[in-house]
């Protein structure tokens, strides 16, 4: 590696809970309020050294990162790649963020030159838009893409040769389509216990029910691996495919038992009472708002890197706007993929580079609706309560090509 790795790693463990953006002023979240002034100065210094140490990693990717702007307001980032069919440079970005602005969207290159863009097509399953422009841009190579392992460090680039976000791989490449997910059929308690994870509910006729598991059982291990709680169990199940056979060890009262479970496919329609949607949404939005289109992707890598999503792009009261659409690399500078969504406070989804390469070999489709740009918050400021006109909704309408 061409940068001080020891500084990078020692700082990363302390700064992953931060936005890790030294150029933005290093905002300290509430959990660090308990630190002394000297500890905060130390942490701030480490984060700044981390930023400078990581810059060589993302410098090449940053040259292929552009800002997509509507009326001088950033709507999203974009990644420049070479189209394998036309051999021309194209821009990939998140479709649902630009849908209402795509006919009047400008691209701003790293050298601050700008030009109008034109929509070529979309890949609805990935919420991915393909744009073209006459501006000369540097494409990011998708050849020899990296396939990161769990725990591997990742870095996201912005369009100013800066570090947008840092994180680690929390879940390897998998499908977010409900019918592709392995299904156990239980609702697990979120309360931690030294004994294991309690089953609050077991669905009738589910794989768990057929294997003999009951409400109140406490899972102690799966395939002899112990877990700290429901989240770790869910992450493990997400990496498995329907039809996989697993061994579940559990406690029923004080009696130890074990059973074999053949995982099924997740039903296309889940009983809302099984997983209270409002509760899940509230949990997902703790810390920052997730993207509206964050489910149903056929193949994504999950990271804990923190990106920003602003429901009112261009609102001067917000510090940041949407940060999807940019490239992600590993610590060797190899391309990992493109950020497509923020799923929750600790979930950012990345379309793998090899998936993008295969996708671009197919024909993109055209939007099925006619989208029209709406008035932006900056234009409307002062005309109504809270600065918005009476007919303006603080959440601009979004294209929704995927079901949530």
């Amino acid at each position: 590696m061409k940068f001080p790795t020891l500084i990078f790693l020692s700082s990363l463990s302390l700064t992953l809970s931060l936005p890790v953006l030294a150029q933005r002023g290093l905002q300290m979240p509430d959990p660090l309020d308990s630190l002394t002034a000297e500890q905060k100065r130390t942490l701030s210094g480490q984060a700044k050294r981390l930023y400078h140490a990581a810059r060589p990693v993302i410098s090449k990717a940053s040259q292929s990162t552009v800002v997509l702007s509507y009326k001088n307001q950033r709507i999203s980032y974009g990644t420049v790649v070479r189209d394998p069919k036309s051999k021309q440079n194209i821009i990939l970005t998140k479709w649902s963020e630009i849908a209402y602005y795509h006919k009047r969207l400008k691209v701003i290159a790293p050298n601050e030159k700008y030009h109008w863009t034109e929509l070529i097509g979309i890949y609805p399953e990935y919420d991915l838009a393909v744009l073209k422009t006459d501006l000369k841009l540097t494409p990011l190579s998708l050849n020899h893409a990296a396939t990161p392992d769990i725990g591997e460090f990742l870095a996201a680039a912005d369009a100013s040769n800066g570090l947008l976000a840092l994180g680690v791989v929390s879940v390897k490449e998998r499908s977010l389509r409900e019918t592709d997910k392995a299904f156990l059929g239980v609702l697990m308690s979120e309360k931690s216990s030294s004994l294991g994870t309690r089953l609050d509910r077991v669905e009738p006729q589910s794989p768990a029910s057929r294997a003999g598991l009951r409400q109140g059982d406490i899972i102690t291990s799966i395939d002899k691996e112990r877990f700290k709680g429901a989240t770790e169990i869910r992450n493990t199940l997400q990496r498995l495919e329907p039809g996989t056979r697993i061994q579940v060890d559990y406690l029923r009262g004080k009696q130890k038992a074990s059973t074999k479970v053949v995982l099924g496919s997740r039903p296309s329609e889940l009983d809302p009472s099984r997983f209270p949607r409002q509760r899940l949404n509230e949990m997902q939005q703790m810390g920052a708002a997730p993207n509206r289109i964050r489910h149903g992707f056929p193949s994504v890598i999950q990271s804990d890197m923190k990106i920003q999503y602003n429901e009112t792009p261009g609102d001067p009261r917000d510090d940041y706007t949407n940060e999807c659409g940019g490239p992600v690399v590993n610590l060797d500078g190899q391309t990992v993929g493109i950020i497509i969504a923020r799923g929750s406070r600790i979930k950012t989804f990345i379309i793998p580079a090899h998936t993008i390469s295969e996708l671009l070999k197919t024909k993109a489709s055209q939007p099925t609706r006619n989208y029209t740009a709406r008035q932006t918050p900056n234009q409307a400021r002062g005309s109504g309560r809270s600065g918005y006109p009476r007919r303006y909704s603080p959440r601009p309408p979004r294209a929704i090509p995927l079901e949530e």
Side-chain angles (χ1 to χ4, degrees), residues 70-114:
Y70 174 75
K71 296 190 175 181
N72 298 320
Q73 300 168 20
R74 190 181 79 212
I75 302 301
S76 184
Y77 283 117
T79 300
V80 182
V81 299
R82 183 63 61 90
D83 184 352
K85 300 186 293 293
S86 67
K87 307 302 180 184
Q88 301 295 316
N89 289 343
I90 55 175
I91 301 169
L92 303 178
T93 190
K94 186 171 178 62
W95 165 239
S96 58
E97 296 305 318
I98 68 162
Y100 280 104
Y101 314 104
H102 74 273
K103 293 183 179 180
R104 298 287 295 173
L105 202 61
K106 288 183 180 180
V107 56
I108 305 176
N111 60 9
E112 297 187 356
K113 292 184 178 180
Y114 63 89

Side-chain angles (χ1 to χ4, degrees), residues 64 66 68 78-93 107 117-121 123 128-133 135 137-140 142 338 356 359-362 364:
S64 302
V66 296
L68 296 170
T79 300
V80 182
V81 299
R82 183 63 61 90
D83 184 352
K85 300 186 293 293
S86 67
K87 307 302 180 184
Q88 301 295 316
N89 289 343
I90 55 175
I91 301 169
L92 303 178
T93 190
V107 56
T117 65
E118 180 182 343
L119 180 70
I120 296 176
Y123 294 99
L128 194 66
V130 184
L131 308 173
K132 67 178 181 179
T133 181
L135 202 62
L137 300 168
T138 303
L140 182 71
L142 298 178
I338 293 176
I356 296 171
L359 204 60
L360 293 178
K361 294 177 183 178
T362 65

